[in-house]
Amino acid sequence: MRKLHKIAIAVMLATSLAACNSPQSTPAAVTLPAGISLVADQSQTTGLAIPHKKYKLANGLTVIVHEDSSDPLVHVDVTYHVGSAREEAGKSGFAHFFEHMMFQGSENVDDEEHFKIITEAGGTMNGTTNSDRTNYFQTVPVNQLEKVLWLESDRMGFLLDAVTEKKFEVQRETVKNERGQRVDNQPYGRLYERVSQALYPDLHQYSWPVIGWMDDLNRANVNDVKAFFLRWYGPNNATLTIGGAVKAEEILPLVQKYFGSIPVGPEVTPAPKELLTLSEDRYISMEDNVHLPLLYVTYPTVYAWHQDEAALDILSEILGGGNNSLLYKNLVKNQMAVQAQVNHRCMELSCNFTLLALPHPASGKNLADIEKVIRDSLLEFEQRGVTDDDLNKVKAKMEAANIFGLQSVQGKVSQLAYSETFFGQPDQVADDIARYNAVTKADVLRVYNQYIKGKHAVLMSVVPKGKTAMIARADNFKPVAHDFGGPSTTKAEDLQARRATDNFDRSVQPKAGMNPAVDLPATWRSDLSNGIAVLGAQTTETPTTSLLLKIPSGLYYETADKVGISTMVAGLMNESTKNYSTEQMSLALEKLGSEIMFGAESEYLTVFVSSLTKNLPATLALLEEKLLNPAFNAQDFSRVQQQTLQGLQNAEKNAGFLAAQAYRKLMYGNHIMGFNGQGTLATVSKLTPADLQAYYQQNFKPAGSQLIVVSDAAQTVVQPLLSKTLQKWQGKAPALNVANPTPVAKAGTIYLVDKPDAPQSEIRIGKRSITEDITGEFYRAGLMNFVLGGNFNSRINLNLREEKGYTYGAFSGFAADKVAGVYTAQAAVRADATAASLKEFLIEIDRYQQQGITDQELNFMRQAINQADALKYETPNAKLGFMAQILEHNLSPDFVKERNQIVASISKEEINALAKKHLNSKEMSIVVVGDAKKLRPELQALGFAVEDYKL
């Protein structure tokens, strides 16, 4: 369903929720600042709504304010109604490119300062671009709001003079690195852009990728992107949404001060929405560096918020939305395919109905065979029809997903901004819920007949290199080739700049108010009779309950000949039980809108549970069934085992995975810690259902387990339910007995892992280091590393990304558990800059180790870390993580105050001593994954010993 895998539009909010976030008295009339008008006041809404007020500035800027005093923070989102669909043919990628440029400083904000200011304020920030909009967002302690408004308004109204040729060139290289990392160096990375070329008419706005064609960016000059900014980034094409511990009338004067003087931009009219059809099935194919072939079948349907969208979403769930879907039954359950699913992806101007599958190598099926099964499954749907469960489970999933989506201010602000940008109405909650609830069986059959049955699709075959015989059918479509000419000749004098005039000095950064008081979550503790330690907290913002159960087990409890068994056990416990088939269990959970998910880590098996609190008793009954009665049957085992094996082989095509594998093995050798928790092809292949059953019987015990609970229900309600659910589970597992192994890597050596023709190289530089602690040397070493490689404005990232353009991102840090730890610096870099990147890494590490931290950097670290407390405990999941740390390390919640005191008092001398101790690059080993034939000479030229390394 589009609503469950994209930005959620629908939000099911109970009356009690709306009431707790909005005042109950009628607001008194207020005088608004000149230039601002009230469009709608929805702050008194109850039921299915997000309370808000909507305003308009004279220059056309839409302002939405959501008042929520539950946490001392504020989330600010500026959404521009411009994405790749607003670009011109031959000038693709400009919207995404400007997402990068908007972080490079403006007239009154120095280069690289935007990230630094927000980080120092204790906040988080980012920006995203898709086909239809670009948004920039920050979450900060509420006392930092004015600073955010200053930053966002400066880049809206005062950006272009700060866009220099040098910044343009560096960010063009950064975008190329992003494409290399996310597209060209990823299995199946080019799939969607190829499909889009075939699905949409030639030169349609959706026919090129959001990141753009690199030829277009290479052809462009700095004035082209400035012209794009002037066309689309005016206040009349933007929505400013502010949510958090604010009062609308108190912050509107600041909004007017910073945004009111920005001149209106060119008029923006809605893009036309046309239903697309294909005149024939279009077959296309591509060889790729993948392990498994893939068939991707896409039908054009409607567009976002079309009257048939909801029914098409439900149709996608029936065909391929889970363990009860037709594609699961016909392709995955019988192991004809490793994976199969269906999605209905909607954008502003068009939706795509997509069915995909990856055939299992052992099945002997090619993609033509898979296509036939998919088409037969469509015919089967015609005979099967639509059931009550099909409708009910989707509606329950929507209710739960969207209530959980309300747990953060960011989630609510994003929802308001999305709906306002595309539909001119911030709160469509009730209407959206209503349209799904109104879908009937007949509606689902009607949309199937109208948009899928007998209609033409794009069928994309992706096959491993050299395996073209596996494609579904020979290509019958080629995109039109266009020649858009040579380098752009756009000149600065061609631009029509707009200048704002202020009555204040915009160059002065606003000062923050007093730091808000941050209340730590109030917790309760208890111990169940079977040895489970429980830590709980009550939070009444949403009627939900989240549980995290940590069972002492996992990778470190395994033997080298059965590595991966913990992951396999967790996988099987997500399948059938003695009393429920996999399909029956999935249906039962879906009808409750609940989730129970087992996983495996190094030291724990984990169980995550989420439920609407009203459905908690029924959800816990299913949890009890899963905990006590796993089936470990042969059919489930075979399927999960094969999916794991295929996943491992597919992962070996990923450079980042190869780098992590090689680095881990060099740090820990053949010790259990040197293995990936998924296991190896050799060990997983040898496992049997009996092995899993024995491991479960020995290790899956409650004594010593930790259970963290966050619920709107009180302890008096939750604890009896937990006791009732878990009391039958008894026993104690063997204690952890794992030694700290000796590293096998040689210092000063480059271990080169070959990945032929890789457009990027993965670099890992590091050594074994200290184990984890909460307030000791490990924590303090992390503070030391913060300015070297622990944030966007770190020395390493500014050098390799922002100055050199070698990478999309570079960072360093300490990672550890109670047994062992490592220090690692890493990045994915442009292949032709591998040696240069490695050299710069070592220069930065050595300089910091020898010269230490500056006074300015020390103050930046202190501000950034200590002011971030307001953001740490907002959502139930954030509270789960915080409380899990308390329970695992037997801490008092006051450890936060101790850490804050460490940050405030750690001296420059201590930081520098830690750098001297931990950052000696001559003690470090290096892993490089890339094209060995090309890289070996330049790496040897650096003076290192270079050894080929095979996994």
Side-chain angles (χ1 to χ4, degrees):
M1 287 176 56
R2 181 180 66 90
K3 297 298 168 297
L4 299 183
H5 68 76
K6 205 178 175 185
I7 294 176
I9 293 179
V11 181
M12 175 70 75
L13 183 58
T15 302
S16 60
L17 291 180
C20 75
N21 283 331
S22 60
Q24 295 305 296
S25 58
T26 302
V30 296
T31 302
L32 298 176
I36 298 183
S37 57
L38 176 66
V39 178
D41 184 348
Q42 299 294 325
S43 60
Q44 297 298 307
T45 56
T46 58
L48 307 178
I50 304 176
H52 70 277
K53 298 175 184 177
K54 176 178 172 181
Y55 302 89
K56 201 79 154 182
L57 270 60
N59 59 9
L61 178 68
T62 300
V63 180
I64 302 166
V65 181
H66 166 64
E67 300 174 0
D68 179 355
S69 60
S70 57
D71 293 281
L73 55 82
V74 62
H75 183 79
V76 178
D77 178 292
V78 179
T79 296
Y80 296 90
H81 196 168
V82 57
S84 57
R86 299 284 195 183
E87 296 164 353
E88 301 174 32
K91 295 183 177 181
S92 66
F94 281 21
H96 174 261
F97 186 83
F98 243 100
E99 179 203 318
H100 285 252
M101 292 305 302
M102 294 277 270
F103 289 107
Q104 299 310 303
S106 48
E107 281 189 37
N108 301 292
V109 182
D110 291 340
D111 299 357
E112 321 305 342
E113 283 292 297
H114 200 122
F115 265 104
K116 183 178 180 181
I117 289 169
I118 295 299
T119 302
E120 192 171 32
T124 61
M125 64 178 297
N126 213 330
T128 66
T129 308
N130 64 26
S131 57
D132 303 312
R133 64 99 185 99
T134 305
N135 71 335
Y136 304 89
F137 47 91
Q138 292 95 168
T139 306
V140 294
V142 68
N143 63 313
Q144 302 286 346
L145 173 60
E146 184 174 1
K147 200 174 293 183
V148 174
L149 297 178
W150 170 68
L151 287 166
E152 286 291 359
S153 64
D154 208 62
R155 60 183 178 186
M156 179 185 286
F158 300 85
L159 182 78
L160 287 192
D161 287 348
V163 178
T164 63
E165 184 71 33
K166 179 181 178 181
K167 290 182 184 178
F168 171 78
E169 295 295 343
V170 169
Q171 291 309 309
R172 178 155 56 184
E173 292 305 309
T174 301
V175 170
K176 291 178 183 178
N177 280 305
E178 182 179 0
R179 179 181 171 90
Q181 185 171 329
R182 294 186 170 182
V183 180
D184 298 329
N185 211 27
Q186 288 291 329
Y188 314 104
R190 295 181 56 226
L191 182 151
Y192 189 70
E193 64 186 32
R194 289 287 312 280
V195 169
S196 297
Q197 286 181 297
L199 185 64
Y200 296 104
D202 182 42
L203 302 184
H204 186 280
Q205 306 99 305
Y206 288 165
S207 67
W208 52 77
V210 172
I211 202 169
W213 301 119
M214 294 304 100
D215 285 347
D216 290 350
L217 283 181
N218 287 334
R219 191 167 44 247
N221 66 33
V222 68
N223 295 311
D224 289 309
V225 295
K226 287 184 176 183
F228 186 82
F229 178 87
L230 288 168
R231 173 64 186 92
W232 298 109
Y233 287 77
N236 51 306
N237 196 36
T239 298
L240 168 65
T241 309
I242 303 169
V246 297
K247 295 293 183 184
E249 290 74 17
E250 294 175 2
I251 65 174
L252 287 174
L254 293 176
V255 172
Q256 176 63 22
K257 173 182 177 180
Y258 289 109
F259 290 90
S261 63
I262 300 173
V264 65
E267 181 183 2
V268 177
T269 56
K273 299 178 179 179
E274 301 176 3
L275 298 186
L276 303 177
T277 58
L278 297 172
S279 58
E280 62 177 351
D281 285 333
R282 292 181 173 178
Y283 287 86
I284 56 176
S285 64
M286 176 178 71
E287 293 180 70
D288 198 3
N289 186 23
V290 297
H291 167 62
L292 295 172
L294 180 149
L295 182 66
Y296 193 92
V297 183
T298 304
Y299 295 85
T301 57
V302 290
Y303 48 79
W305 209 256
H306 185 279
Q307 61 183 6
D308 290 339
E309 180 190 10
L312 284 160
D313 285 350
I314 292 175
L315 174 63
S316 75
E317 283 284 304
I318 297 170
L319 291 173
N323 292 339
N324 287 284
S325 67
L326 291 175
L327 287 197
Y328 177 86
K329 175 177 73 72
N330 295 337
L331 285 168
V332 179
K333 188 175 178 66
N334 59 16
Q335 296 193 54
M336 188 181 296
V338 174
Q339 179 183 346
Q341 63 188 56
V342 180
N343 292 304
H344 188 226
R345 179 176 182 266
C346 276
M347 299 175 287
E348 182 180 16
L349 309 179
S350 178
C351 300
N352 311 326
F353 195 95
T354 300
L355 307 93
L356 67 88
L358 292 84
H360 196 298
S363 70
K365 304 296 183 182
N366 60 28
L367 296 183
D369 299 321
I370 298 299
E371 178 189 352
K372 183 177 187 306
V373 175
I374 288 176
R375 293 190 183 277
D376 288 345
S377 297
L378 295 177
L379 295 175
E380 182 181 348
F381 167 75
E382 296 180 34
Q383 301 299 318
R384 170 194 183 276
V386 183
T387 68
D388 290 335
D389 280 342
D390 291 334
L391 300 182
N392 292 336
K393 72 176 185 180
V394 169
K395 293 168 185 178
K397 287 170 68 174
M398 282 194 62
E399 177 186 7
N402 290 295
I403 287 181
F404 275 94
L406 287 177
Q407 292 178 332
S408 70
V409 171
Q410 179 175 353
K412 289 178 280 189
V413 165
S414 298
Q415 155 64 27
L416 293 168
Y418 175 90
S419 294
E420 172 60 31
T421 298
F422 294 114
F423 311 114
Q425 181 182 340
D427 180 17
Q428 296 190 111
V429 171
D431 290 343
D432 200 30
I433 290 292
R435 67 178 180 146
Y436 280 88
N437 284 338
V439 172
T440 65
K441 298 176 184 178
D443 289 329
V444 178
L445 291 170
R446 176 181 56 78
V447 298
Y448 168 78
N449 289 323
Q450 185 170 347
Y451 301 103
I452 308 300
K453 182 179 180 180
K455 300 301 185 291
H456 297 295
V458 172
L459 296 96
M460 172 74 174
S461 299
V462 182
V463 296
K465 290 182 178 180
K467 300 289 184 67
T468 55
M470 298 188 72
I471 67 173
R473 191 179 298 185
D475 291 17
N476 64 358
F477 173 82
K478 276 191 175 182
V480 179
H482 294 279
D483 183 359
F484 294 106
S488 172
T489 58
T490 305
K491 302 179 179 64
E493 49 266 33
D494 297 332
L495 307 178
Q496 296 182 356
R498 303 185 296 272
R499 301 290 302 181
T501 302
D502 290 309
N503 58 5
F504 67 98
D505 187 354
R506 193 178 280 267
S507 67
V508 177
Q509 181 181 148
K511 293 187 180 300
M514 293 290 292
N515 285 349
V518 180
D519 295 327
L520 297 177
T523 60
W524 52 267
R525 295 190 67 154
S526 69
D527 293 300
L528 301 185
S529 59
N530 57 0
I532 299 177
V534 183
L535 183 63
Q538 184 177 12
T539 177
T540 58
E541 292 180 53
T542 55
T544 59
T545 297
S546 295
L547 309 175
L548 176 62
L549 176 62
K550 299 172 64 177
I551 304 160
S553 188
L555 176 66
Y556 291 177
Y557 292 77
E558 299 176 359
T559 56
D561 62 327
K562 293 184 178 179
V563 175
I565 192 170
S566 299
T567 299
M568 282 289 292
V569 166
L572 266 292
M573 295 190 76
N574 287 319
E575 298 288 336
S576 59
T577 69
K578 294 176 181 177
N579 300 301
Y580 288 78
S581 68
T582 298
E583 294 83 355
Q584 289 170 335
M585 178 61 74
S586 295
L587 181 60
L589 287 167
E590 287 171 344
K591 289 168 72 173
L592 294 170
S594 299
E595 178 184 6
I596 300 175
M597 183 60 62
F598 289 74
E601 299 176 350
S602 296
E603 299 176 81
Y604 298 98
L605 285 171
T606 61
V607 189
F608 175 75
V609 180
S610 67
S611 174
L612 299 180
T613 303
K614 67 181 182 181
N615 294 333
L616 184 58
T619 302
L620 291 178
L622 295 174
L623 173 63
E624 180 181 8
E625 172 69 18
K626 279 180 163 286
L627 288 172
L628 300 182
N629 297 309
F632 295 117
N633 68 46
Q635 184 181 33
D636 288 341
F637 172 83
S638 176
R639 183 176 66 256
V640 173
Q641 182 186 48
Q642 289 302 315
Q643 288 172 334
T644 302
L645 291 170
Q646 298 307 318
L648 285 169
Q649 292 181 73
N650 187 59
E652 289 175 356
K653 302 295 183 179
N654 182 285
F657 177 84
L658 293 175
Q661 286 282 77
Y663 188 70
R664 184 184 300 110
K665 190 65 79 173
L666 288 163
M667 289 297 107
Y668 298 108
N670 286 321
H671 188 275
I672 194 67
M673 299 173 71
F675 289 94
N676 173 10
Q678 298 292 316
T680 70
L681 295 176
T683 59
V684 174
S685 296
K686 294 178 182 177
L687 293 175
T688 67
D691 291 329
L692 271 60
Q693 183 73 48
Y695 184 90
Y696 166 82
Q697 292 292 348
Q698 179 178 355
N699 293 280
F700 206 83
K701 303 297 182 182
S705 295
Q706 303 153 28
L707 177 60
I708 305 95
V709 185
V710 178
S711 177
D712 67 311
Q715 177 184 3
T716 54
V717 174
V718 174
Q719 186 168 322
L721 289 173
L722 296 175
S723 297
K724 179 182 177 182
T725 300
L726 300 171
Q727 64 184 354
K728 295 179 184 177
W729 187 26
Q730 298 290 326
K732 183 177 182 179
L736 176 63
N737 182 22
V738 59
N740 197 337
T742 302
V744 299
K746 292 177 286 188
T749 299
I750 296 176
Y751 295 89
L752 182 57
V753 180
D754 190 25
K755 191 173 190 296
D757 302 320
Q760 283 195 314
S761 300
E762 287 280 352
I763 294 176
R764 302 289 185 272
I765 307 167
K767 64 173 185 172
R768 285 281 298 280
S769 190
I770 51 181
T771 57
E772 182 186 25
D773 60 51
I774 302 303
T775 55
E777 185 175 354
F778 175 80
Y779 178 69
R780 293 165 188 263
L783 301 179
M784 175 272 291
N785 176 74
F786 186 78
V787 299
L788 175 63
N791 73 95
F792 184 89
N793 283 79
S794 69
R795 294 185 183 189
I796 287 173
N797 194 59
L798 289 184
N799 183 338
L800 273 76
R801 171 178 162 140
E802 298 302 306
E803 294 176 19
K804 303 295 193 308
Y806 292 161
T807 181
Y808 182 54
F811 55 94
S812 64
F814 294 85
D817 51 38
K818 294 188 289 289
V819 181
V822 294
Y823 177 80
T824 311
Q826 66 184 83
V829 303
R830 224 174 52 222
D832 63 354
T834 304
S837 298
L838 181 54
K839 183 178 179 180
E840 293 301 323
F841 259 121
L842 296 173
I843 287 172
E844 293 295 350
I845 292 171
D846 289 342
R847 181 185 293 128
Y848 192 58
Q849 195 250 359
Q850 295 160 15
Q851 300 177 9
I853 196 170
T854 67
D855 292 334
Q856 184 181 18
E857 288 173 330
L858 180 59
N859 183 64
F860 169 65
M861 180 274 291
R862 286 176 172 159
Q863 294 290 326
I865 293 177
N866 267 353
Q867 294 194 83
D869 281 351
L871 282 63
K872 289 181 179 176
Y873 324 114
E874 181 194 6
T875 66
N877 281 353
K879 290 181 174 70
L880 281 179
F882 171 73
M883 293 162 59
Q885 195 173 35
I886 291 174
L887 203 53
E888 178 177 355
H889 297 277
N890 194 27
L891 302 170
S892 161
D894 285 344
F895 85 90
V896 175
K897 295 179 182 178
E898 185 179 350
R899 276 187 164 184
N900 288 345
Q901 181 58 37
I902 293 171
V903 173
S905 62
I906 192 169
S907 67
K908 187 175 181 180
E909 290 73 21
E910 184 177 357
I911 291 282
N912 292 344
L914 288 165
K916 287 278 188 186
K917 178 179 179 180
H918 292 289
L919 299 182
N920 185 349
S921 68
K922 293 181 175 57
E923 298 175 349
M924 298 182 186
S925 307
I926 300 164
V927 171
V928 176
V929 178
D931 191 321
K933 184 177 180 180
K934 295 177 182 177
L935 294 178
R936 188 178 295 104
E938 61 185 75
L939 294 175
Q940 289 173 333
L942 293 176
F944 291 95
V946 178
E947 295 187 9
D948 292 328
Y949 190 79
K950 296 186 182 297
L951 290 166

